[in-house]
Amino acid sequence: MSSASSSAAWKSADSVPDQFPAGLRVLVVDDDPTCLIILEKMLRTCSYEVTKCNRAETALAILRENKNGFDIVISDVHMPDMDGFKLLEHIGLEMDLPVIMMSADDGKHVVMKGVTHGACDYLIKPVRMEALKNIWQHVIRKRKNGWKDLEQSGSVEEGDRQQKQSEDAEYSSSANEGNWKSSKKRKDDEDETEDRDDTSTLKKPRVVWSVELHQQFVAAVNQLGIDKAVPKKILELMNVPGLTRENVASHLQKYRLYLRRLSGVSPHANNSFMNPQEETFGPLSSVSGLDLQALAAGGQLPAQCLATLQAAALGRSTAKSSIPMPLVDQRNIFSFENPKLRFGEGQQQLMNTNKPINLLHGIPTTMEPKQLTTSQSIGNINMQVASHGVQSSQNNSALINMQVASHGVQSSQNNSALINMQVASHSVQSNQNNSALMQMGQPQFARAPRLPLSVGQPIISNGIAASYNPVPQSSSMLNFPMNHASELPGNGFPLGSTPGMSGCTSKGTFQEDFNSEIKGSVGFMSSYDIFNNLNQHKPQNWELQNVGMTFDDSRHSNSLQGNLDLSQSVLVQQGFSSGRMSGQNRSAAVVSKAMFSAGDSTEPGNLLNVSQHLNSLPVDNTIRVKTESVADVNSDNLFIDHFGQEDLMSALLKQQQGIAPAENEFDFDGYSLDNIQV
Amino acid sequence: MERNPMRRQLQTMRKSLFDQGHLDEQFVQLEELQDDANPNFVEEVVTLYYRDSARIILNIEQALERKPFDFNKLDAYMHQFKGSSSSIGAKKVKAESTVFREYCRSRNGEGCMRSFQQLKKEYATLRRKLEAYFQVARQAGPMETACRPK
């Protein structure tokens, strides 16, 4: 059925529309009016359809409003209201459009950043017409790859689809696989194209991944386990009418990339937490659901906190706990290979018992911020998740996979970071950024949009953003400057940055921005707290903030999962006093008012130095989410001390690794980060 | 016929701007964008540039009045300014921006001040020349890209 026509379809797909690339719909974002007008003219001369805007926020709004209205986005790197990379992350997660970055800066470092954040190209200003003439190639490439990815990830699915179409069979996935494979070869492109043709060869109608939808998605993925999450099953679990496997597959692909990115390129490497900043949550994720329980049990977590968190998380995410664990393992962060987090293994246990995350402690449930570098937070954070109920604190992927369900947010997809701090950002605009940190395995896309973070969600840019607990939480939490957007250390994913850091406030940016933005984000902070607790391990992770997800370090923190203790320490210091890496979460400097100051000074690893970032700490952002509320968080527990930002991570990692299976006791109970030899 | 001499004059002015290093290839890109639909595109862009960049110049000036210098901020402003200037092909201005940024990076306050003075000079000179140029251009009628000296 398609074979014959497929070729034709393919062709047409290729050339669709006939006059392609004329009519290509481009969105240009640049705060410099001179450049903007020149670009517009150049693009018009190439026969493209141009829309220009001078603010990133506006661009996001336009894109959201008109999801299928654009084919490609060109954005400047340096903009006053939002870092271009954050915008890039957002777009990548939410709309999956190819994005070209531009800047007068041609330093290798910046260009590399563009690459790692997923830009499909990087142009040096002044931009010449020749450079713009061929941008359509990125659109084609993306579509092709997208299809291909779908094939791969949802390969079976695709195959199924194809099969179905052609054969109508009810092949089971495996069966389809076989068929698909064979047919894939020949029909691969053709069929795909064909299918795609229907959907819009070049202009596939896009599914709007709302926060709720994303949450469902993440929940499904978590349930299945990131390794086993195939589009078909996800689709089944989600049970959303009108949603096709293809939609799921492409979304999954994006999600995976997101997580991978969070984990810093090597998902495994960072494992524990999903690449230091973002990934960290990976392992933790599993913890979330279970952890909470465990944590609570562990006693480590201030029971209260845990309870709160759990309740919150559960409430929200509907018993995330149940999910978390399983998910966590698997997914943790997309199966972070997290060696560190080992959650699956020891971690889990730890997590469960471990102090679920200090997050819970004081974490104002809004902890959405998954930042809790998942590792620990997962447990903790999971709580968050529930709490977030919101808005998607999907960020919770970190620590608390609770997040999973938490997607609540609209888009706080970013939960990737530890805490998917979906933070408030979710509520907003879908802080897709959560990728950082929170990526915790769970596709947590921290959609936490709740957070009024409209800020651009970028707040979490570090990934933290993702976890926002959307607003619900008294902004205290969110005080993370979630606004981060600027601050987040470059982390593409806002959320990701806070590995476990509850406060990960998007890596730093949260913190600062949060305050303002987070109004609602307060809840966010909660997440952070969780994360903080959890992530104590690494304030560094929060550094993410600075770096936008310098999770690399954080990763360690994530690994700390085992270190839950760390999480404790992770005290999401909302105020992350940037730079406080030193185990002291105290750095609450973080703007976040909510400084959760984990009460326990032990925040040593406040991983969440998220606030740090806010302070524009370049890297220190060990998000120390000091969750004041964490009160329970025994100082001792706060491993965080040990972890000086960097240390936390390492400590966490160490813990994790060492501890992993057996560890459970990492002190999670007591949050004693001690284990985490920093 | 009148236009011819004007055109010729225009070309001469144009050539001189390039020869003296005030403008670079990017300016040509702008010229190429000019067409019947936008017959004064180049002038419009340059006007916009001067208007917008005046703001940045002011910011830098104010920043240079505060001691100690916030080099990071100065660098950021100049980065912005440089981007703008390069997009219209203001060669000398762009070069001086780079010098200024170097001084910022090496935390050389004196250097920054000197460089900024020089930059303002170049910036003003270019503006003067371009204003004259556009005046002739308007009188000469739509410019043909054909005679663009290369």
Side-chain angles (χ1 to χ4, degrees):
Chain A
M1 66 264 8
S2 357
S3 316
S5 49
S6 44
S7 45
W10 180 241
K11 284 214 206 105
S12 60
D14 261 345
S15 55
V16 172
D18 290 344
Q19 66 275 20
F20 187 84
L24 194 73
R25 298 158 310 166
V26 186
L27 176 67
V28 183
V29 191
D30 192 339
D31 64 313
D32 181 337
T34 311
C35 293
L36 203 57
I37 204 113
I38 295 175
L39 278 168
E40 184 193 30
K41 190 70 171 75
M42 282 183 173
L43 291 165
R44 287 247 163 83
T45 306
C46 296
S47 306
Y48 296 153
E49 255 181 50
V50 189
T51 305
K52 62 181 199 289
C53 64
N54 61 358
R55 294 196 64 228
E57 302 280 358
T58 314
L60 269 179
I62 293 175
L63 286 169
R64 285 187 185 128
E65 221 175 305
N66 203 356
K67 284 260 166 119
N68 289 336
F70 295 95
D71 298 306
I72 189 163
V73 178
I74 302 182
S75 167
D76 188 34
V77 167
H78 299 277
M79 290 190 284
D81 65 330
M82 187 194 299
D83 181 34
F85 294 116
K86 287 213 192 85
L87 176 65
L88 168 59
E89 294 276 3
H90 275 305
I91 297 177
L93 273 179
E94 279 181 61
M95 297 117 203
D96 194 24
L97 284 174
V99 181
I100 295 178
M101 300 303 294
M102 336 169 258
S103 177
D105 207 343
D106 62 352
K108 180 175 116 178
H109 160 75
V110 183
V111 178
M112 176 64 86
K113 232 176 154 193
V115 172
T116 56
H117 282 80
C120 63
D121 203 355
Y122 191 100
L123 304 176
I124 309 287
K125 283 185 181 176
V127 179
R128 297 174 58 88
M129 182 95 137
E130 294 83 73
L132 294 177
K133 268 209 217 130
N134 292 328
I135 60 173
W136 57 266
Q137 62 176 293
H138 301 295
V139 177
I140 300 287
R141 191 177 295 122
K142 188 142 195 148
R143 293 200 186 194
K144 257 192 109 191
N145 289 342
W147 289 339
K148 233 185 287 166
D149 284 333
L150 280 180
E151 288 170 18
Q152 288 159 11
S153 56
S155 55
V156 177
E157 312 310 336
E158 289 305 318
D160 285 349
R161 219 158 36 80
Q162 307 245 348
Q163 294 299 342
K164 278 209 194 137
Q165 296 178 354
S166 43
E167 291 158 347
D168 246 11
E170 313 181 353
Y171 299 97
S172 59
S173 311
S174 47
N176 280 330
E177 212 166 358
N179 290 333
W180 173 72
K181 281 201 184 119
S182 54
S183 58
K184 182 180 180 203
K185 297 294 173 23
R186 61 182 168 78
K187 299 205 292 193
D188 197 278
D189 289 341
E190 300 172 340
D191 285 351
E192 297 254 73
T193 316
E194 247 193 323
D195 291 338
R196 302 253 188 239
D197 267 349
D198 304 341
T199 48
S200 66
T201 42
L202 282 183
K203 299 177 181 332
K204 265 191 289 194
R206 276 189 209 277
V207 164
V208 174
W209 282 91
S210 66
V211 174
E212 291 76 24
L213 198 60
H214 181 69
Q215 279 179 340
Q216 275 181 278
F217 170 82
V218 175
V221 172
N222 285 344
Q223 210 171 313
L224 294 166
I226 193 62
D227 289 335
K228 299 235 212 45
V230 283
K232 180 170 179 203
K233 300 220 180 87
I234 297 174
L235 186 67
E236 279 165 14
L237 275 178
M238 284 176 72
N239 194 20
V240 170
L243 192 67
T244 70
R245 213 183 345 224
E246 180 186 304
N247 299 139
V248 174
S250 72
H251 191 71
L252 175 66
Q253 185 199 351
K254 272 198 288 176
Y255 190 58
R256 285 219 180 101
L257 289 174
Y258 183 66
L259 294 177
R260 219 173 284 144
R261 232 195 327 230
L262 286 180
S263 48
V265 182
S266 48
H268 298 286
N270 296 316
N271 301 324
S272 350
F273 290 75
M274 294 230 351
N275 290 325
Q277 304 173 352
E278 310 169 345
E279 307 280 24
T280 48
F281 286 32
L284 293 174
S285 338
S286 26
V287 180
S288 12
L290 302 179
D291 294 324
L292 287 181
Q293 315 253 3
L295 292 175
Q300 294 309 329
L301 280 180
Q304 311 155 8
C305 297
L306 264 179
T308 313
L309 285 173
Q310 290 204 341
L314 293 177
R316 259 187 15 106
S317 21
T318 60
K320 297 296 182 228
S321 17
S322 46
I323 299 183
M325 285 306 286
L327 294 179
V328 172
D329 290 354
Q330 324 169 359
R331 278 192 296 185
N332 275 334
I333 313 228
F334 288 89
S335 41
F336 289 107
E337 309 337 344
N338 308 325
K340 305 199 224 167
L341 294 182
R342 299 312 171 125
F343 281 176
E345 318 161 277
Q347 301 283 342
Q348 297 259 333
Q349 312 187 6
L350 289 177
M351 302 293 302
N352 296 316
T353 51
N354 296 322
K355 323 186 129 292
I357 329 182
N358 297 311
L359 301 176
L360 300 184
H361 304 308
I363 312 183
T365 54
T366 36
M367 293 254 321
E368 301 270 337
K370 295 220 194 182
Q371 311 210 336
L372 292 181
T373 42
T374 50
S375 30
Q376 319 257 331
S377 325
I378 307 240
N380 299 329
I381 313 231
N382 287 318
M383 315 255 305
Q384 297 286 347
V385 172
S387 46
H388 297 311
V390 208
Q391 310 94 45
S392 55
S393 311
Q394 288 301 332
N395 300 316
N396 301 315
S397 32
L399 300 187
I400 311 198
N401 284 309
M402 313 215 327
Q403 305 289 345
V404 175
S406 19
H407 290 304
V409 197
Q410 313 123 44
S411 44
S412 311
Q413 296 296 332
N414 299 312
N415 296 312
S416 39
L418 295 182
I419 311 203
N420 282 319
M421 303 259 315
Q422 295 274 345
V423 180
S425 42
H426 300 306
S427 43
V428 203
Q429 318 27 38
S430 57
N431 300 299
Q432 295 293 338
N433 299 313
N434 299 316
S435 39
L437 303 187
M438 309 293 224
Q439 285 295 337
M440 310 231 300
Q442 321 243 355
Q444 304 267 348
F445 287 125
R447 295 276 202 141
R450 277 312 199 76
L451 296 178
L453 291 182
S454 37
V455 197
Q457 317 252 322
I459 305 193
I460 311 225
S461 326
N462 286 316
I464 304 194
S467 33
Y468 325 110
N469 295 301
V471 198
Q473 307 290 341
S474 43
S475 3
S476 48
M477 289 260 309
L478 300 182
N479 288 316
F480 292 115
M482 298 266 305
N483 298 311
H484 72 11
S486 44
E487 301 306 310
L488 292 180
N491 293 322
F493 285 96
L495 294 179
S497 44
T498 46
M501 349 187 255
S502 37
C504 293
T505 53
S506 44
K507 311 238 216 152
T509 36
F510 278 132
Q511 311 210 342
E512 302 178 341
D513 292 337
F514 268 116
N515 290 318
S516 44
E517 317 244 341
I518 314 251
K519 311 174 330 177
S521 32
V522 177
F524 195 64
M525 291 303 293
S526 336
S527 330
Y528 287 116
D529 285 326
I530 301 197
F531 280 82
N532 283 325
N533 293 323
L534 292 176
N535 289 311
Q536 298 279 345
H537 26 269
K538 240 206 46 171
Q540 296 194 336
N541 296 327
W542 299 115
E543 296 255 326
L544 299 179
Q545 302 181 344
N546 291 323
V547 195
M549 301 249 299
T550 50
F551 270 87
D552 290 70
D553 294 319
S554 343
R555 290 202 297 162
H556 297 294
S557 341
N558 289 320
S559 43
L560 293 183
Q561 297 281 342
N563 301 314
L564 282 184
D565 286 42
L566 288 177
S567 355
Q568 308 226 350
S569 25
V570 173
L571 300 185
V572 180
Q573 299 193 355
Q574 297 266 320
F576 297 98
S577 29
S578 18
R580 273 320 180 90
M581 299 299 289
S582 50
Q584 328 272 337
N585 296 322
R586 322 350 136 104
S587 41
V590 177
V591 187
S592 42
K593 306 173 283 169
M595 305 281 293
F596 287 72
S597 41
D600 306 42
S601 40
T602 50
E603 304 203 336
N606 291 325
L607 298 178
L608 302 179
N609 279 323
V610 176
S611 14
Q612 297 286 345
H613 188 71
L614 300 178
N615 291 314
S616 46
L617 289 180
V619 184
D620 282 4
N621 299 320
T622 38
I623 304 198
R624 294 307 192 103
V625 177
K626 295 214 277 190
T627 48
E628 300 279 343
S629 39
V630 185
D632 283 279
V633 180
N634 305 321
S635 317
D636 348 342
N637 295 332
L638 301 178
F639 294 112
I640 320 242
D641 285 336
H642 298 299
F643 306 101
Q645 296 183 341
E646 305 267 349
D647 292 346
L648 274 181
M649 277 311 257
S650 43
L652 281 172
L653 288 174
K654 281 206 280 190
Q655 296 246 344
Q656 304 222 337
Q657 298 173 347
I659 311 183
E663 292 298 331
N664 301 328
E665 295 313 300
F666 273 124
D667 288 321
F668 286 109
D669 293 348
Y671 302 119
S672 41
L673 291 177
D674 298 339
N675 293 326
I676 310 187
Q677 302 299 331
V678 179
Chain B
M1 272 343 263
E2 290 164 5
R3 297 194 336 149
N4 268 351
M6 285 242 132
R7 284 261 176 90
R8 252 180 280 129
Q9 183 188 1
L10 198 63
Q11 285 313 324
T12 307
M13 289 172 89
R14 183 176 178 282
K15 187 166 186 303
S16 133
L17 281 167
F18 279 96
D19 289 346
Q20 290 173 7
H22 291 291
L23 295 176
D24 62 25
E25 176 57 27
Q26 189 62 20
F27 190 80
V28 176
Q29 292 268 312
L30 293 191
E31 288 176 324
E32 279 172 356
L33 291 174
Q34 190 156 287
D35 53 21
D36 291 341
N38 299 89
N40 301 312
F41 181 72
V42 186
E43 185 180 357
E44 284 163 15
V45 174
V46 170
T47 305
L48 179 60
Y49 162 74
Y50 272 100
R51 188 158 15 108
D52 185 61
S53 56
R55 184 178 47 85
I56 307 178
I57 294 272
L58 187 61
N59 286 340
I60 298 177
E61 255 166 3
Q62 289 173 348
L64 285 174
E65 277 161 19
R66 290 183 228 116
K67 307 279 200 301
F69 288 159
D70 182 346
F71 288 110
N72 289 339
K73 206 170 203 194
L74 286 169
D75 188 58
Y77 282 139
M78 194 47 79
H79 173 84
Q80 228 182 319
F81 182 79
K82 181 180 172 187
S84 261
S85 307
S86 67
S87 67
I88 67 154
K91 197 171 177 186
K92 285 194 177 174
V93 173
K94 175 182 174 185
E96 200 58 45
S97 314
T98 305
V99 171
F100 182 92
R101 292 189 76 195
E102 267 313 304
Y103 281 129
C104 282
R105 296 214 194 99
S106 49
R107 301 323 201 219
N108 182 341
E110 273 303 306
C112 281
M113 302 228 288
R114 266 185 289 119
S115 167
F116 187 60
Q117 294 310 315
Q118 181 63 21
L119 182 136
K120 280 196 288 184
K121 256 178 46 183
E122 299 288 357
Y123 177 78
T125 301
L126 180 63
R127 176 199 243 132
R128 237 185 16 252
K129 291 191 181 249
L130 285 175
E131 273 170 1
Y133 175 77
F134 288 127
Q135 204 169 3
V136 175
R138 268 183 259 121
Q139 292 169 26
M143 179 146 65
E144 311 282 336
T145 55
C147 15
R148 224 178 343 150
K150 239 323 176 260

